Amino acid sequence: MSATDIQFNKNEDAMKLAISELRKVSEQVKLGGGKKSIEKHKEKGKLTARERLELLFDKNKPVTEIGELAGYGMYEEYGGCPSGGVVVQMGYINKRLCIVVANDATVKAGAWFPITGKKNLRAQEISIENRIPIIYLVDSAGVFLPMQDEIFPDKENFGRIFYNNSQMSALGIPQIAAIMGSCVAGGAYLPILSDEALIVEKTGSVFLAGSYLVKSAIGENIDNELLGGAVTHCEISGVTDYKSKDDADCIKTVRNLIDKLGKPDVAGFDRVEPKAPQRPATDVYGLLPEKVTGQYDMHEFIKCIVDEGEMVEYKADYGKSIVCCYARIDGWAVGIVANQREVVKAKKPKVSGEPGSFNTEMQFGGVIYSDSADKAARFIMNCNQKKVPLVFLQDVTGFMVGSRSEHGGIIKDGAKMVNAVSNSVVPKFTIIVGNSYGAGNYAMCGKAFGPRLIFSYPTSRLAVMGGEQAAKTLLQIQVSAMKSKGKEVSAEEEAALLKKITDKYTSTMDPKYAAARLWCDGIIDPAETRKVISMGIEAANQAPITKPFSVGVIQT
């Protein structure tokens, strides 16, 4: 066995271990509020949020979950908030691609934490950008009162959901709400601002104030069922449109409603019969280095995700720290922008005062050079011109620094790439394969730059800079501050301080930390890359491009 084969096996073992650990976390998260809470929930005759989704979606069709790890490791003083107390999945209902938001009433009775609001808004954002139908399976006690100041008043808080409801209706995006449990106070507006509302007998209820609050506010004695149950709203108030006898009946009606929707307009992205990749998708496990500083050839990685491994590389011999190519993923035509980490023969950047460029070996390590940024910007513009969706494969440590790069105009070329990414009108999809540091995250279409979907791999890292560099920088700042106050710092104290800083900083680079805060839509097994990109493009194809592509003022 060669050294290459040994390293492949080591890489594969490391990735499989990371995937195994991720699955353990996923299994725990999927229990929601725990087994006892699930038992109490079922005693009321209700299905769990995930059971409702399983019944709603077509069998044997792919499903992509958004924000599964939302809230992970957060709100521990309140007992945690698994999946943000709401399950969001994109899948097929009677062959129509939809996104569904299902409150998990086993988590604090489905109460809304700050991350719950953020996750709901993300689901609506996906629906709006792609013009796909959205279904709300409502079962919530409303705002989590101990944190009301962080969920209630701001622009991107709870109220924005109702603003979006209204805007989406005006845009003609189908919205269906099924009231399958509690729906109280301000939350009552969500189903009623939807196009159609269903309610389940005996378990569903919707009102601005429950019976206890009504009693204290106006002295009226009334139970919740008579106040705002299925009979009241279907026979007296007319607030809801369909009455269901149980969860299964309600879901059947939702499926029938989706079945009657008219066909969507399409953007016209090109698709042919899908072909399998040249290399098995699981080869990614062995290609990606076990250490984030390791090297690998991005071309070989791409062969694991594109149809038949075929790609047409743009400017193949220029700007080699970024690979740009046209390919197909599950039949869809795509433009791929990917960081290169391999040591390759490349042209050294031309610098003022030097006679010219010359060939040299360069270890890219995911660094973006001026020529690569310039190449990527032009490629992104071409994809917009041709109406080809963009896929960004991030393994980037940032832009090249130092006098040579600064004198060569790295800032100008980096800005050109950022501008092209920002103004793209074709849908963008981002996979954080390895590192995602600093301005490299921005140029390679990080969350701030509007990817339709953004997912991370289990071994990825997201931060302003690498852990070692950041820790040493922070150490220098803290030691200087201590010395300025007259305190001497011993070598032992400095080492202990460095370890403390490194441990804390490194913990925030973990992809679970990012996924918990919805900096990405989730962490996926690399073998699922084709699935999530394909579903994303299919969703995006339902939103015709209406805005012309322009980059405005750009330095050349």
Side-chain angles (χ1 to χ4, degrees):
M1 183 178 289
S2 68
T4 303
D5 291 333
I6 292 171
Q7 189 57 56
F8 186 96
N9 290 342
K10 285 183 177 179
N11 294 344
E12 187 176 45
D13 289 344
M15 179 60 78
K16 285 182 175 178
L17 179 61
I19 292 170
S20 176
E21 291 173 352
L22 176 65
R23 285 175 179 160
K24 287 177 184 176
V25 172
S26 176
E27 287 169 8
Q28 186 61 42
V29 163
K30 287 176 179 176
L31 288 175
K35 292 181 179 179
K36 287 186 178 179
S37 293
I38 291 172
E39 288 171 6
K40 288 181 180 178
H41 182 83
K42 286 179 170 290
E43 285 171 3
K44 299 173 184 175
K46 300 197 290 184
L47 299 173
T48 66
R50 292 184 181 277
E51 287 172 337
R52 288 166 176 168
L53 287 164
E54 189 175 351
L55 202 59
L56 180 60
F57 287 127
D58 295 348
K59 306 300 180 190
N60 302 317
K61 293 284 281 183
V63 171
T64 292
E65 183 154 352
I66 306 297
E68 180 185 71
L69 297 187
Y72 180 75
M74 299 168 66
Y75 315 119
E76 291 181 350
E77 66 272 34
Y78 299 113
C81 186
S83 270
V86 61
V87 183
V88 175
Q89 293 181 350
M90 187 165 66
Y92 299 86
I93 302 174
N94 277 322
K95 300 180 182 180
R96 185 69 175 263
L97 191 58
C98 303
I99 191 159
V100 185
V101 180
N103 295 116
D104 186 351
T106 71
V107 180
K108 295 289 189 296
W112 290 56
F113 284 70
I115 198 68
T116 317
K118 188 174 182 179
K119 188 169 174 179
N120 274 262
L121 289 172
R122 176 61 178 144
Q124 289 184 321
E125 180 181 42
I126 290 171
S127 174
I128 293 167
E129 286 182 329
N130 300 295
R131 299 295 193 270
I132 60 173
I134 186 167
I135 294 97
Y136 309 97
L137 305 183
V138 186
D139 193 348
S140 171
V143 167
F144 185 62
L145 289 178
M147 301 191 76
Q148 62 85 24
D149 58 321
E150 296 182 46
I151 182 64
F152 167 66
D154 209 349
K155 180 182 177 182
E156 299 301 329
N157 285 171
F158 191 65
R160 190 72 178 186
I161 291 163
F162 313 133
Y163 173 90
N164 285 347
N165 283 143
S166 304
Q167 292 278 308
M168 292 162 78
S169 182
L171 290 169
I173 299 170
Q175 298 180 85
I176 295 173
I179 303 165
M180 309 179 83
S182 298
C183 184
V184 300
Y189 287 105
L190 184 147
I192 312 311
L193 282 167
S194 298
D195 302 333
E196 295 177 287
L198 303 84
I199 188 167
V200 178
E201 289 183 292
K202 295 186 171 49
T203 57
S205 59
V206 55
F207 33 61
L208 294 180
S211 56
Y212 291 121
L213 185 54
V214 167
K215 172 66 175 176
S216 63
I218 63 174
E220 181 182 2
N221 285 306
I222 190 169
D223 63 47
N224 284 339
E225 183 64 25
L226 186 57
L227 182 65
V231 172
T232 295
H233 286 310
C234 286
E235 299 181 18
I236 301 173
S237 72
V239 165
T240 51
D241 307 305
Y242 306 95
K243 183 168 60 177
S244 305
K245 62 182 181 181
D246 55 27
D247 283 7
D249 182 46
C250 182
I251 287 168
K252 181 180 178 181
T253 303
V254 172
R255 285 182 55 82
N256 281 330
L257 293 172
I258 293 295
D259 183 55
K260 309 303 183 293
L261 291 177
K263 292 187 180 298
D265 295 331
V266 294
F269 303 129
D270 187 64
R271 192 182 197 187
V272 298
E273 187 68 28
K275 301 286 178 63
Q278 184 185 88
R279 299 187 62 160
T282 51
D283 271 9
V284 170
Y285 300 170
L287 289 172
L288 295 182
E290 58 177 328
K291 295 181 180 178
V292 293
T293 54
Q295 299 169 23
Y296 63 97
D297 185 359
M298 181 53 77
H299 296 91
E300 293 303 311
F301 175 94
I302 291 171
K303 289 176 184 177
C304 299
I305 65 169
V306 304
D307 293 16
E308 297 187 315
E310 289 187 357
M311 64 187 94
V312 179
E313 189 167 356
Y314 176 77
K315 291 184 183 290
D317 297 321
Y318 178 75
K320 288 192 171 185
S321 72
I322 288 183
V323 175
C324 296
C325 64
Y326 297 104
R328 290 189 183 274
I329 294 178
D330 199 36
W332 293 105
V334 296
I336 295 174
V337 181
N339 302 112
Q340 176 63 289
R341 294 193 62 90
E342 192 184 34
V343 174
V344 297
K345 287 280 186 182
K347 285 189 175 181
K348 192 174 181 181
K350 188 174 182 179
V351 179
S352 178
E354 289 188 355
S357 300
F358 54 91
N359 286 326
T360 183
E361 275 201 350
M362 299 181 71
Q363 180 177 338
F364 292 128
V367 176
I368 302 175
Y369 290 81
S370 285
D371 52 357
S372 301
D374 175 68
K375 175 176 83 170
R378 289 184 59 84
F379 180 73
I380 291 165
M381 294 176 198
N382 280 338
C383 287
N384 277 272
Q385 194 86 332
K386 298 176 180 180
K387 207 157 71 171
V388 177
L390 283 158
V391 174
F392 292 84
L393 303 175
Q394 284 194 10
D395 195 345
V396 58
T397 52
F399 285 89
M400 190 60 190
V401 296
S403 60
R404 183 183 295 274
S405 293
E406 297 294 357
H407 297 170
I410 186 68
I411 297 175
K412 177 181 66 177
D413 291 316
K416 190 187 304 181
M417 184 177 175
V418 167
N419 189 316
V421 173
S422 302
N423 286 298
S424 286
V425 295
V426 295
K428 307 182 292 276
F429 302 90
T430 301
I431 305 294
I432 304 177
V433 172
N435 300 308
S436 181
Y437 295 157
N441 169 277
Y442 300 156
M444 291 294 294
C445 197
K447 183 69 182 288
F449 286 76
R452 297 290 177 95
L453 294 174
I454 175 169
F455 284 93
S456 297
Y457 283 175
T459 53
S460 63
R461 293 290 181 268
L462 177 63
V464 171
M465 64 176 74
E468 186 178 342
Q469 303 96 306
K472 287 180 179 177
T473 302
L474 291 168
L475 176 67
Q476 289 174 5
I477 294 169
Q478 290 194 28
V479 169
S480 296
M482 292 163 74
K483 287 181 177 179
S484 69
K485 295 177 182 178
K487 178 176 173 55
E488 288 298 321
V489 183
S490 68
E492 291 78 13
E493 288 175 319
E494 193 168 313
L497 186 56
L498 177 61
K499 184 181 185 306
K500 182 180 178 182
I501 293 169
T502 302
D503 290 347
K504 182 178 179 182
Y505 190 88
T506 302
S507 70
T508 65
M509 296 169 64
D510 190 290
K512 292 189 289 296
Y513 188 92
R517 289 153 182 80
L518 291 176
W519 299 346
C520 63
D521 291 318
I523 306 172
I524 59 169
D525 179 335
E528 295 180 351
T529 305
R530 279 169 58 87
K531 181 196 82 172
V532 299
I533 293 174
S534 179
M535 286 186 72
I537 299 175
E538 184 174 348
N541 198 40
Q542 297 185 38
I545 297 172
T546 57
K547 180 183 175 183
F549 174 66
S550 172
V551 293
V553 177
I554 189 168
Q555 292 194 39
T556 57

